[in-house]
Amino acid sequence: MTLPSWQDKNLGSMARGALWLVSVVGEGNIFTKADLRAAFPDVAQIDRRLRDLRDHGWKIDTSREDVSLKQQEQRFVTRGADVWIPGKAKAPKHKSSLTAAQRAKVLQGDNHLCRMCGIGAGEAYEDGIELAKLNVARRKVLLADGTAEYQLVTECKKCGTGGGADREVDLGALLDLVENLAPMEQRVFAGWIAADRRSLSPLDKVWGIYRTLPAASREAVAQAIDDTVK
């Protein structure tokens, strides 16, 4: 089947971007934002239109998903729906816009914290420069009965960047893991749920510091603990 031309301005910008990826870039190959903007100088937000393709099954990796890529590079991994065909570009139902009331309810239910990393809106990340911005995302949840549904969750912009839309959680598998915990472990877990935070033990804190050490320092700690336990 012959594809339409990606240069056909009668098509929408997302459809043209998809055709450009297929016809010019090719699956598995790398392109940059500069390449994209040179191809579409007449489209102000063509990079955003390309991101929209992810909602239609297209896989486009950035350096966050593919560490072999440079920051300015992206890789066209796999083609999704033929969005240039009428009706194929319609956004999935779970991608419909949220109302302000829905967003407020989700943020309040999540205590205005990113459920991935725990940061709050306006708090600084570890670099001390960038401040967190919270969004409401849709997460695919595989339920215990085998069905799937999309549920709303709060996440920061950084955690949501790069594949966030593809995350899913198997609730049934998690419930099985909880059931298999020892009674003492279940009580500890219930305490974490009630507090909405995990309290680190002294051992957890020591391990957290140890694993950040350079090799020479790790060897010194290993030698010290080896001498102690003998």
Side-chain angles (χ1 to χ4, degrees), residues 216-229:
S217 294
R218 294 199 307 274
E219 290 176 6
V221 174
Q223 184 62 53
I225 196 69
D226 186 55
D227 292 342
T228 301
V229 297

Side-chain angles (χ1 to χ4, degrees), residues 111 115 174-175 178 181 185-199:
N111 296 319
R115 303 310 299 181
L174 175 60
L175 292 174
V178 172
L181 292 174
E185 292 173 321
Q186 289 180 344
R187 287 194 290 272
V188 172
F189 186 52
W192 292 348
I193 293 174
D196 198 23
R197 63 186 296 270
R198 175 188 173 187
S199 300

Side-chain angles (χ1 to χ4, degrees), residues 18 21-22 27 53-60 76-84 88:
L21 286 175
V22 174
E27 289 189 34
L53 286 171
R54 294 187 174 105
D55 294 341
H56 302 276
W58 291 66
K59 184 170 175 56
I60 304 168
F76 171 33
V77 182
T78 52
R79 170 177 163 176
D82 296 341
V83 294
W84 50 86
K88 293 284 189 178

Side-chain angles (χ1 to χ4, degrees), residues 122-137:
E123 293 182 0
Y125 289 103
E126 292 182 357
D127 59 15
I129 301 174
E130 185 179 358
L131 301 182
K133 295 180 180 179
L134 298 182
N135 298 315
V136 174

Side-chain angles (χ1 to χ4, degrees), residues 98 102-104 106-107 110 134-138 151-155:
L98 298 177
Q102 286 176 309
R103 289 177 56 82
V106 174
L107 289 168
D110 287 338
L134 298 182
N135 298 315
V136 174
R138 294 171 172 84
Q151 299 177 2
L152 301 176
V153 65
T154 303
E155 66 181 17

Side-chain angles (χ1 to χ4, degrees), residues 17-224:
L19 289 165
W20 177 77
L21 286 175
V22 174
S23 305
V24 178
V25 178
E27 289 189 34
N29 294 323
I30 293 172
F31 66 96
T32 66
K33 286 187 176 181
D35 297 331
L36 183 61
R37 290 168 183 165
F40 297 93
D42 56 321
V43 182
Q45 295 184 321
I46 186 61
D47 50 340
R48 179 175 294 183
R49 299 289 78 80
L50 235 60
R51 289 199 298 272
D52 290 342
L53 286 171
R54 294 187 174 105
D55 294 341
H56 302 276
W58 291 66
K59 184 170 175 56
I60 304 168
D61 283 351
T62 67
S63 57
R64 288 184 179 273
E65 296 88 24
D66 184 342
V67 296
S68 69
L69 295 174
K70 298 177 182 178
Q71 188 173 3
Q72 71 273 21
E73 293 178 333
Q74 297 182 63
R75 188 187 302 279
F76 171 33
V77 182
T78 52
R79 170 177 163 176
D82 296 341
V83 294
W84 50 86
I85 297 176
K88 293 284 189 178
K90 186 177 180 181
K93 184 177 180 181
H94 69 272
K95 293 292 183 179
S96 58
S97 299
L98 298 177
T99 65
Q102 286 176 309
R103 289 177 56 82
K105 182 177 180 181
V106 174
L107 289 168
Q108 184 176 5
D110 287 338
N111 296 319
H112 294 270
L113 299 173
C114 173
R115 303 310 299 181
M116 295 294 293
C117 69
I119 200 168
E123 293 182 0
Y125 289 103
E126 292 182 357
D127 59 15
I129 301 174
E130 185 179 358
L131 301 182
K133 295 180 180 179
L134 298 182
N135 298 315
V136 174
R138 294 171 172 84
R139 187 68 42 79
K140 185 178 181 181
V141 179
L142 304 178
L143 304 177
D145 62 2
T147 61
E149 69 176 34
Y150 285 86
Q151 299 177 2
L152 301 176
V153 65
T154 303
E155 66 181 17
C156 69
K157 184 177 179 180
K158 180 174 286 190
C159 288
T161 300
D166 299 328
R167 293 192 186 105
E168 65 179 38
V169 59
D170 189 333
L171 182 59
L174 175 60
L175 292 174
D176 288 340
L177 291 173
V178 172
E179 185 177 351
N180 290 329
L181 292 174
M184 175 67 74
E185 292 173 321
Q186 289 180 344
R187 287 194 290 272
V188 172
F189 186 52
W192 292 348
I193 293 174
D196 198 23
R197 63 186 296 270
R198 175 188 173 187
S199 300
L200 297 179
S201 69
L203 184 57
D204 288 323
K205 294 177 182 178
V206 170
W207 173 253
I209 297 171
Y210 165 79
R211 66 194 302 268
T212 68
L213 296 175
S217 294
R218 294 199 307 274
E219 290 176 6
V221 174
Q223 184 62 53

